[in-house]
């Protein structure tokens, strides 16, 4: 499967009306997992690169609910960049995909939905280790 198919862009329905916009995301429905954790990243400078890890267990959906940022995903072979710039779109990131988040706008609020509670032990933070695992060396 191509990396773009493993990490699909999700378009959420707009339930807005004349009073304003409304986007609903329910675990197991608009996204393919039950949500165990929510966190959000804001006031990251445009020069900062966040993420820089892969997760052995966690799946994520990233949504810029305000402003914009970019996410680079790779499986060690292919890579692509998603520009998150609409509250109605997200990107699904399955297990064992390396991700970098960067180019945060000053008003960026990057919402992350996760399939697990936090466990620092499931993070791979060294890119060479990641490549070794993906190529079967480790
Ligand atoms: P980090 O993984 O570096 O954030 P990002 O991937 O967004 O760049 O996390 C920064 C710190 O926050 C680190 O000490 C771990 C802690 N943290 C938690 O305690 N729980 C969480 O759910 C997350 C995402 C991070």
């Amino acid at each position: 499967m191509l990396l773009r198919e493993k990490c699909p862009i999700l378009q959420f329905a707009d339930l807005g009306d004349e009073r304003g916009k409304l986007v609903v995301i329910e675990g197991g429905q608009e996204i393919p997992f039950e949500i165990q954790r929510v966190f959000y990243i804001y006031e990251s400078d445009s020069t900062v690169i966040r993420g820089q890890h892969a997760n052995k267990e966690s799946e994520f959906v990233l949504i810029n609910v305000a402003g914009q940022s970019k996410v680079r995903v790779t499986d060690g072979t292919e890579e692509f960049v998603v520009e998150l710039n609409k509250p109605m779109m997200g990107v699904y990131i399955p297990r064992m995909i390396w991700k970098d988040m960067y180019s945060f706008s000053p008003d960026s609020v990057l919402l992350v939905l996760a399939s697990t509670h936090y466990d620092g032990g499931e993070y791979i933070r060294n890119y060479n280790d990641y490549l070794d695992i993906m190529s079967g060396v480790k």
Side-chain angles (χ1 to χ4, degrees):
M1 196 192 279
L2 294 172
L3 184 62
R4 280 179 188 277
E5 294 167 353
K6 290 184 203 160
C7 304
I9 304 297
L10 307 175
Q11 302 285 351
F12 306 119
D14 174 14
L15 303 182
D17 53 30
E18 64 286 350
R19 297 168 300 163
K21 301 280 191 193
L22 174 66
V23 175
V24 179
I25 299 164
E26 295 193 53
Q29 298 197 16
E30 287 79 6
I31 62 169
F33 55 79
E34 292 296 337
I35 300 161
Q36 294 279 346
R37 176 165 48 118
V38 173
F39 56 95
Y40 39 94
I41 294 167
Y42 62 105
E43 292 188 9
S44 271
D45 193 82
S46 62
T47 59
V48 163
I49 303 178
R50 301 198 61 121
Q52 304 191 87
H53 44 57
N55 293 74
K56 293 179 188 166
E57 300 298 337
S58 299
E59 301 164 66
F60 300 98
V61 169
L62 277 59
I63 305 160
N64 257 101
V65 292
Q68 47 191 290
S69 70
K70 291 181 181 167
V71 189
R72 183 189 307 113
V73 292
T74 180
D75 58 7
T77 307
E78 297 173 60
E79 75 161 56
F80 73 95
V81 174
V82 182
E83 192 161 338
L84 295 173
N85 55 13
K86 288 189 270 307
M88 288 169 51
M89 75 171 283
V91 59
Y92 169 67
I93 303 184
R95 298 179 182 89
M96 291 305 289
I97 297 292
W98 187 272
K99 55 211 165 299
D100 301 321
M101 296 89 86
Y102 59 101
S103 288
F104 297 93
S105 62
D107 58 346
S108 172
V109 181
L110 178 58
L111 177 71
V112 182
L113 313 176
S115 65
T116 60
H117 290 159
Y118 182 71
D119 170 10
E122 60 120 3
Y123 280 68
I124 304 166
R125 293 185 178 274
N126 180 295
Y127 191 61
N128 288 327
D129 287 349
Y130 172 73
L131 291 177
D132 285 349
I133 292 167
M134 293 306 278
S135 62
V137 175
K138 276 189 179 167

